[in-house]
Amino acid sequence: MTDAYDPEDDGAKMSFSKDMSYGDYLGMDGILGAARPLSNAHDEMLFIVQHQTSELWMRLVLHELSSARALMLQGRTQEVFKMLSRVARIFEQLNNAWDVLRTMTPSDYTAFREDLGQSSGFQSHQYRLIEFILGNRNRAMMKVHEHRTELHRMLDYELTQPSLYHVALRLLEKEVGATFDPAIFHMDTPHAPDPAVMDAWTTVYRDPHAHWTLYDLAEKLVDLEDYFRRWRFNHVTTVERIIGFKRGTGGTSGVKYLRRMLEVELFPELWHLRGGL
Ligand code: HEM
């Protein structure tokens, strides 16, 4: 019989009393220690891990979107395509994650529902920041963060910045030689469809080769919104499967509220122009 494998003989570093280890670098004590179920219900751990991992991915989404916007403002549009594709893939990843959560039945969820109190994803400041960066801006959504001044300030600051779509529209103005109504660029309201913007994007789509960078950017934005829509749809379907038409822990009408959110259009002209091509 051969001797059992010893990684130390193979050169693996085995002592980390003085050096940074894997767990040290990644802050694993903090991450794993953050999962603290409040009940004895078996499925509460699934519920917590699912939310925490989603928040970690959202953190990366914010990192990518902030950099993408900064690069676009510098005119380095080609460099953002990779980032926007990555964000779409992150949403795809989050979409696949619903399959794990769907293994939880209404009975499983009811076993710890009361322990959640009034906490809800509705109060996710990162989700709200993602929506604000993309352009779905609504000050009323910030109220739940008033007791956390640093989070509230972050959201407030975001509303002083042009959204990713605003920045794309500035590039579009230059590309087709248009000047859009200044009201489009109001920082703290959601973007409403505009005929001049629609015409300009249509020009790009009628002759992609003449406007390749903007065309590529537009398709990356559509791709991102496509995957985001799937996330909203998977969320509301999972919610209906688990709580039916009960009110949410956050106090909204639940599925009714989430169905309303399915109507959100982040980049409306990019969807509407398709019917006219
Ligand atoms: C058992 C699973 C889940 C249920 C029953 C559920 C239920 C709900 C309900 C009813 C709402 C509406 C607000 C309210 O009144 O509470 C909501 C909002 C929300 N949930 Fe979930 N959810 C679940 C899983 C998740 C997961 C895994 C995430 C990932 C982070 C998430 C993120 C969100 C977000 C971001 C919102 C706000 C959506 C918006 O305002 O457009 N939820 N959820």
Side-chain angles (χ1 to χ4, degrees):
M1 220 175 85
T2 52
D3 289 342
Y5 173 75
D6 183 341
E8 198 160 16
D9 295 342
D10 206 7
K13 182 171 171 60
M14 302 303 281
S15 169
F16 288 91
S17 54
K18 294 197 180 66
D19 296 298
M20 179 176 71
S21 71
Y22 170 86
D24 297 334
Y25 173 65
L26 295 172
M28 289 314 294
D29 288 345
I31 289 188
L32 297 177
R36 291 188 301 270
L38 294 178
S39 73
N40 293 322
H42 177 79
D43 281 31
E44 192 183 349
M45 186 58 94
L46 164 68
F47 185 82
I48 291 175
V49 169
Q50 191 92 30
H51 280 85
Q52 289 180 336
T53 48
S54 300
E55 290 288 342
L56 286 175
W57 283 116
M58 284 191 229
R59 183 178 195 159
L60 185 58
V61 167
L62 287 167
H63 180 68
E64 301 294 335
L65 290 179
S66 312
S67 296
R69 176 172 54 188
L71 287 171
M72 276 161 71
L73 280 167
Q74 293 168 33
R76 293 160 64 184
T77 313
Q78 297 281 349
E79 290 171 57
V80 312
F81 295 158
K82 211 166 129 270
M83 293 169 179
L84 297 180
S85 297
R86 185 175 292 165
V87 173
R89 291 292 88 76
I90 295 170
F91 274 106
E92 191 180 11
Q93 165 96 355
L94 290 171
N95 286 333
N96 291 333
W98 291 112
D99 287 343
V100 184
L101 195 63
R102 281 193 192 103
T103 60
M104 184 169 73
T105 67
S107 328
D108 297 331
Y109 178 67
T110 312
F112 63 91
R113 154 83 183 72
E114 286 308 312
D115 293 278
L116 304 178
Q118 301 230 270
S119 65
S120 162
F122 185 68
Q123 299 135 21
S124 163
H125 79 277
Q126 293 205 109
Y127 182 81
R128 215 50 77 197
L129 266 177
I130 292 172
E131 292 225 279
F132 282 11
I133 289 197
L134 292 174
N136 185 21
R137 299 174 162 201
N138 180 353
R139 275 195 183 275
M141 295 298 197
M142 289 165 49
K143 203 164 178 1
V144 292
H145 301 291
E146 266 173 4
H147 67 295
R148 292 287 309 273
T149 39
E150 74 287 11
L151 301 184
H152 194 266
R153 214 175 292 135
M154 225 182 334
L155 286 157
D156 207 26
Y157 176 73
E158 181 51 40
L159 295 185
T160 67
Q161 300 301 301
S163 72
L164 191 77
Y165 196 48
H166 284 150
V167 180
L169 294 182
R170 288 296 188 203
L171 295 174
L172 181 63
E173 277 184 322
K174 265 196 221 146
E175 178 73 19
V176 302
T179 307
F180 300 140
D181 181 352
I184 289 175
F185 298 99
H186 278 171
M187 305 272 199
D188 60 356
T189 46
H191 177 75
D194 178 87
V197 171
M198 171 100 160
D199 286 349
W201 280 126
T202 305
T203 304
V204 169
Y205 273 75
R206 287 238 159 89
D207 192 355
H209 293 285
H211 310 282
W212 193 263
T213 303
L214 265 286
Y215 175 67
D216 214 354
L217 175 64
E219 282 300 293
K220 290 279 183 294
L221 292 174
V222 169
D223 205 38
L224 196 164
E225 183 163 6
D226 190 347
Y227 282 93
F228 196 165
R229 285 180 179 194
R230 293 183 213 192
W231 185 90
R232 292 187 206 273
F233 180 77
N234 279 318
H235 180 232
V236 68
T237 306
T238 310
V239 172
E240 184 178 349
R241 186 167 165 168
I242 296 176
I243 66 165
F245 287 84
K246 278 192 236 175
R247 293 194 87 78
T249 47
T252 74
S253 54
V255 165
K256 198 166 155 229
Y257 163 74
L258 294 171
R259 282 195 179 156
R260 191 169 160 201
M261 293 302 123
L262 295 180
E263 286 162 22
V264 168
E265 289 184 310
L266 297 170
F267 318 124
E269 296 87 357
L270 292 177
W271 295 92
H272 299 182
L273 72 85
R274 284 153 207 271
L277 288 179

